[in-house]
Amino acid sequence: IHSFEPLPEVYRELRRLAERDALMFVHQTALGDADGETEMHENAFSPSSSILSMTAAHTNAFPGTARTRSVRVPVTRLDAWASNRELPEPILVKLDVQGYEDRVVAGGEATLKKVRALIVETSFRELYQGQLLFDDLHSLLRRLDFRCVGFENVSRDRNSGVTLQADAVFFR
């Protein structure tokens, strides 16, 4: 298991937990379409932290997420990271990057060609500014020969019942 976590505090906790598993490796970087550094919006509810800014739809649906602060984090392309590593197949990748999925895909196309299964947290409403919604992300992944086979962990707006996001499962 290779886990990528750019936020310092969350990284330290994940690394502490990973010490119990010799097959888990934690890397303190965000994934994206360029190597370098970027600003990340660290949220009081860390799973909502993103390189992209949150929309009002997000804070309305998830009221505990209104407080953020800006943090500088390293960012790496998945292909650059994987270029000098032997990754045994079959490979499963889970992308849970708060609206930044298309940028991770753009920076990891060569690596993703070796992936058999892909789980992508995808949105049906714009929760982060500039994110691709499911239809466009689905089209992007189809061009890489992935087929959507189902959804897990569906999240709905508690007021309207509208589906906001889900983990989409793709197979090659």
Side-chain angles (χ1 to χ4, degrees):
I1 298 170
H2 290 276
S3 179
F4 299 87
E5 177 53 59
L7 296 173
E9 188 175 317
V10 180
Y11 166 78
R12 283 190 294 275
E13 177 63 15
L14 189 56
R15 193 167 148 210
R16 186 185 66 75
L17 293 171
E19 288 174 355
R20 296 183 232 160
D21 188 340
L23 297 176
M24 183 169 179
F25 306 93
V26 184
H27 310 282
Q28 190 174 7
T29 187
L31 293 175
D33 57 356
D35 298 319
E37 285 189 347
T38 192
E39 291 292 321
M40 186 161 189
H41 304 280
E42 182 177 21
N43 195 276
F45 179 65
S46 67
S48 288
S49 298
S50 178
I51 292 172
L52 302 177
S53 297
M54 230 179 258
T55 64
H58 188 290
T59 54
N60 290 338
F62 306 103
T65 62
R67 219 174 70 233
T68 61
R69 69 183 182 110
S70 187
V71 177
R72 218 122 171 101
V73 299
V75 61
T76 305
R77 290 175 302 112
L78 181 60
D79 285 346
W81 174 84
S83 68
N84 62 354
R85 288 181 170 77
E86 189 71 33
L87 299 175
E89 295 183 26
I91 299 171
L92 163 71
V93 170
K94 179 166 192 306
L95 294 179
D96 188 346
V97 292
Q98 309 329 105
Y100 216 62
E101 293 79 15
D102 61 317
R103 280 75 157 202
V104 175
V105 169
E109 285 192 23
T111 304
L112 291 173
K113 287 179 181 174
K114 301 174 188 172
V115 169
R116 185 179 298 172
L118 180 63
I119 302 170
V120 182
E121 185 183 67
T122 186
S123 295
F124 299 92
R125 299 286 183 267
E126 189 179 35
L127 302 176
Y128 296 91
Q129 293 176 8
Q131 77 176 118
L132 285 189
L133 298 182
F134 174 77
D135 288 342
D136 293 324
L137 190 57
H138 179 251
S139 293
L140 175 67
L141 293 172
R142 284 199 45 96
R143 286 193 297 275
L144 296 175
D145 294 326
F146 284 102
R147 302 291 179 262
C148 185
V149 297
F151 297 94
E152 296 291 331
N153 304 317
V154 176
S155 175
R156 292 182 172 76
D157 184 299
R158 58 191 166 120
N159 299 317
S160 67
V162 169
T163 300
L164 298 173
Q165 59 187 24
D167 288 338
V169 180
F170 293 86
F171 288 149
R172 181 183 308 286

